[in-house]
mmCIF file of all heavy atoms in Angstrom:
data_model
loop_
_atom_site.group_PDB
_atom_site.id
_atom_site.type_symbol
_atom_site.label_atom_id
_atom_site.label_comp_id
_atom_site.label_asym_id
_atom_site.label_seq_id
_atom_site.Cartn_x
_atom_site.Cartn_y
_atom_site.Cartn_z
ATOM 1 N N GLN A 193 -61.892 -67.439 -3.032
ATOM 2 C CA GLN A 193 -62.011 -66.387 -4.071
ATOM 3 C C GLN A 193 -60.626 -65.954 -4.510
ATOM 4 O O GLN A 193 -60.381 -65.759 -5.718
ATOM 5 C CB GLN A 193 -62.770 -65.172 -3.555
ATOM 6 C CG GLN A 193 -64.311 -65.526 -3.306
ATOM 7 C CD GLN A 193 -65.033 -64.370 -2.634
ATOM 8 O OE1 GLN A 193 -64.459 -63.312 -2.387
ATOM 9 N NE2 GLN A 193 -66.325 -64.579 -2.355
ATOM 10 N N ILE A 194 -59.674 -65.779 -3.556
ATOM 11 C CA ILE A 194 -58.324 -65.365 -3.904
ATOM 12 C C ILE A 194 -57.670 -66.462 -4.721
ATOM 13 O O ILE A 194 -56.957 -66.128 -5.713
ATOM 14 C CB ILE A 194 -57.507 -65.038 -2.614
ATOM 15 C CG1 ILE A 194 -58.112 -63.866 -1.862
ATOM 16 C CG2 ILE A 194 -56.074 -64.806 -2.977
ATOM 17 C CD1 ILE A 194 -58.148 -62.547 -2.648
ATOM 18 N N ILE A 195 -57.814 -67.713 -4.381
ATOM 19 C CA ILE A 195 -57.205 -68.804 -5.167
ATOM 20 C C ILE A 195 -57.832 -68.835 -6.536
ATOM 21 O O ILE A 195 -57.127 -69.040 -7.518
ATOM 22 C CB ILE A 195 -57.471 -70.161 -4.432
ATOM 23 C CG1 ILE A 195 -56.713 -70.196 -3.143
ATOM 24 C CG2 ILE A 195 -57.053 -71.291 -5.327
ATOM 25 C CD1 ILE A 195 -55.201 -69.923 -3.289
ATOM 26 N N GLU A 196 -59.089 -68.553 -6.687
ATOM 27 C CA GLU A 196 -59.699 -68.480 -8.005
ATOM 28 C C GLU A 196 -59.137 -67.367 -8.874
ATOM 29 O O GLU A 196 -58.912 -67.518 -10.021
ATOM 30 C CB GLU A 196 -61.307 -68.312 -7.863
ATOM 31 C CG GLU A 196 -62.059 -68.603 -9.124
ATOM 32 C CD GLU A 196 -61.905 -70.051 -9.591
ATOM 33 O OE1 GLU A 196 -61.741 -70.961 -8.745
ATOM 34 O OE2 GLU A 196 -61.944 -70.241 -10.805
ATOM 35 N N VAL A 197 -58.867 -66.238 -8.189
ATOM 36 C CA VAL A 197 -58.238 -65.118 -8.881
ATOM 37 C C VAL A 197 -56.845 -65.493 -9.424
ATOM 38 O O VAL A 197 -56.520 -65.224 -10.532
ATOM 39 C CB VAL A 197 -58.117 -63.871 -7.961
ATOM 40 C CG1 VAL A 197 -57.179 -62.833 -8.539
ATOM 41 C CG2 VAL A 197 -59.457 -63.266 -7.628
ATOM 42 N N LEU A 198 -56.075 -66.170 -8.547
ATOM 43 C CA LEU A 198 -54.742 -66.623 -9.023
ATOM 44 C C LEU A 198 -54.901 -67.644 -10.147
ATOM 45 O O LEU A 198 -53.990 -67.659 -11.031
ATOM 46 C CB LEU A 198 -53.996 -67.219 -7.831
ATOM 47 C CG LEU A 198 -53.640 -66.223 -6.694
ATOM 48 C CD1 LEU A 198 -52.942 -66.903 -5.523
ATOM 49 C CD2 LEU A 198 -52.642 -65.161 -7.236
ATOM 50 N N LYS A 199 -55.830 -68.539 -10.114
ATOM 51 C CA LYS A 199 -56.085 -69.475 -11.193
ATOM 52 C C LYS A 199 -56.307 -68.738 -12.495
ATOM 53 O O LYS A 199 -55.756 -69.083 -13.589
ATOM 54 C CB LYS A 199 -57.226 -70.414 -10.896
ATOM 55 C CG LYS A 199 -56.914 -71.628 -10.004
ATOM 56 C CD LYS A 199 -58.177 -72.513 -9.936
ATOM 57 C CE LYS A 199 -57.925 -73.706 -9.083
ATOM 58 N NZ LYS A 199 -59.201 -74.478 -8.944
ATOM 59 N N ASN A 200 -57.220 -67.741 -12.445
ATOM 60 C CA ASN A 200 -57.561 -67.013 -13.615
ATOM 61 C C ASN A 200 -56.333 -66.285 -14.208
ATOM 62 O O ASN A 200 -56.203 -66.200 -15.413
ATOM 63 C CB ASN A 200 -58.682 -66.031 -13.361
ATOM 64 C CG ASN A 200 -60.026 -66.712 -13.006
ATOM 65 O OD1 ASN A 200 -60.183 -67.874 -13.403
ATOM 66 N ND2 ASN A 200 -60.872 -66.064 -12.326
ATOM 67 N N ILE A 201 -55.515 -65.709 -13.303
ATOM 68 C CA ILE A 201 -54.333 -64.975 -13.732
ATOM 69 C C ILE A 201 -53.402 -65.912 -14.503
ATOM 70 O O ILE A 201 -52.861 -65.548 -15.566
ATOM 71 C CB ILE A 201 -53.619 -64.396 -12.498
ATOM 72 C CG1 ILE A 201 -54.382 -63.196 -11.927
ATOM 73 C CG2 ILE A 201 -52.185 -63.982 -12.832
ATOM 74 C CD1 ILE A 201 -53.944 -62.785 -10.529
ATOM 75 N N ARG A 202 -53.225 -67.139 -13.940
ATOM 76 C CA ARG A 202 -52.327 -68.047 -14.556
ATOM 77 C C ARG A 202 -52.876 -68.434 -16.018
ATOM 78 O O ARG A 202 -52.151 -68.555 -16.948
ATOM 79 C CB ARG A 202 -52.199 -69.279 -13.722
ATOM 80 C CG ARG A 202 -51.295 -70.376 -14.305
ATOM 81 C CD ARG A 202 -51.524 -71.657 -13.586
ATOM 82 N NE ARG A 202 -50.910 -72.747 -14.336
ATOM 83 C CZ ARG A 202 -51.214 -74.007 -14.157
ATOM 84 N NH1 ARG A 202 -52.206 -74.349 -13.383
ATOM 85 N NH2 ARG A 202 -50.636 -74.941 -14.891
ATOM 86 N N GLN A 203 -54.184 -68.660 -16.075
ATOM 87 C CA GLN A 203 -54.771 -69.103 -17.327
ATOM 88 C C GLN A 203 -54.803 -67.947 -18.351
ATOM 89 O O GLN A 203 -54.455 -68.224 -19.546
ATOM 90 C CB GLN A 203 -56.151 -69.595 -17.137
ATOM 91 C CG GLN A 203 -56.198 -70.944 -16.287
ATOM 92 C CD GLN A 203 -57.635 -71.302 -15.876
ATOM 93 O OE1 GLN A 203 -58.577 -70.549 -16.059
ATOM 94 N NE2 GLN A 203 -57.779 -72.426 -15.180
ATOM 95 N N GLU A 204 -55.125 -66.761 -17.938
ATOM 96 C CA GLU A 204 -55.243 -65.668 -18.892
ATOM 97 C C GLU A 204 -53.917 -65.047 -19.221
ATOM 98 O O GLU A 204 -53.736 -64.588 -20.400
ATOM 99 C CB GLU A 204 -56.177 -64.637 -18.311
ATOM 100 C CG GLU A 204 -57.647 -65.094 -18.128
ATOM 101 C CD GLU A 204 -58.531 -64.031 -17.518
ATOM 102 O OE1 GLU A 204 -58.194 -62.843 -17.664
ATOM 103 O OE2 GLU A 204 -59.605 -64.380 -16.950
#
Side-chain angles (χ1 to χ4, degrees):
Q193 294 174 0
I194 295 300
I195 293 305
E196 195 62 31
V197 168
L198 292 175
K199 274 186 180 178
N200 292 338
I201 288 167
R202 179 196 169 201
Q203 292 170 357
E204 295 180 22

